[in-house]
Amino acid sequence: MSAQPISIKQLTPVKHFLQFKDFTREEFEYLFERTRIIKQKFKTYQQYWPLQDRTLVMIFEKASTRTRLSFEAGMQQLGGSAIYLNTRDSQLGRGEPVEDAGQVISRMSDIVMIRTFEQSIIERFAAHSRVPVINGLTNEYHPCQVLADIFTYVELRGSIQGKTVAWIGDSNNMCNTWLQAAEILDFNVHVSTPSGYEVEPERAGLYGHEHYEEFADPMEAARDADLVTTDVWTSMGFEAENEERLKDFADWQVDEDMMRIAAKDALFMHCLPAHRGEEVSAGVIDGPQSVVWDEAENRLHAQKALMEYLLLGRVE
Ligand code: CP
Ligand code: NVA
């Protein structure tokens, strides 16, 4: 007797989180509320295993501390398990087509997280995946970080709608994601980059120019801002430009003078890892307005809410 293929209940179409604009404002509001509930369960030692027997595969083509830890610990805390793959030890590093990897890995797991270089790589993987794919950082976007950062803002200050976020520094993956978030969640971003490093709206995947304004002077961008945020001057994959960037970004440090010009109760955020004395002074990142440790902690809970949503849909 020949074995019959087993037909399974499949969520169609499979939902992915490849960039911030993949979700609507209502979905983010739901996720922020689930993050709050899931965090509270964790803090009060309540076991919550909705993803028992589910497997997350994490593929890393770049280094990570927070992303690996938060996804791996998060999946375990939800009752599932996580498997770590990196380019060096897998066939991806030896040229196996990403489409083939998407087919195979998604037949052996329930959900996949990828950190890689070009956004097109994760899109090609997702197009061949049977299961949800999450962007754990690409050259273009870092949606899980901004999800956790905005949850942190909401947790500490309430709704971000109508607020002003100052982005100081490189128009990198974090900047692009903040700009997408501003369009979805209806807030404003004041961006200041050195000349030659300006926002590229198409690369950022923006619908328009209504939610951000560009400033040549970083102090003007920070004026009255509710949140001041920055990131490394040289992102992973751009190391060859490091020397030049150190010179070009020298005037784009978030320091105490800049925080003084922002709103009185402004928060400072940085996705980490940070370079004290480059994009941020030690006084700011280690000072009273900094919420960088909360941001890192909230990666754990925001991503648990994200995985729960992608695998189970709305649970309440
Ligand atoms: N912020 C962030 O994604 O950190 P890692 O590079 O350590 O994962
Ligand atoms: N922009 C940085 C973020 C690191 C979490 C990078 O891509 O290296």
Side-chain angles (χ1 to χ4, degrees), residues 63-68 115 137 142 145 236 271-273 299:
S64 168
T65 298
R66 279 145 288 268
T67 303
R68 177 182 177 177
R115 169 167 285 196
L137 181 146
H142 197 3
Q145 181 71 51
M236 291 181 280
C271 66
L272 306 175
R299 290 288 300 277

Side-chain angles (χ1 to χ4, degrees), residues 4 27 48 75 79 85 87 91 128 133 141 189 193 225 239 256 278 283-284 300 314:
Q4 296 299 308
E27 288 178 302
Y48 181 56
M75 196 56 177
L85 289 180
T87 312
Q91 299 291 5
H128 291 82
V133 178
Y141 308 118
V189 185
T193 66
E239 289 81 2
E256 288 83 337
E278 291 184 18
V284 169
L300 176 65
R314 288 187 186 239

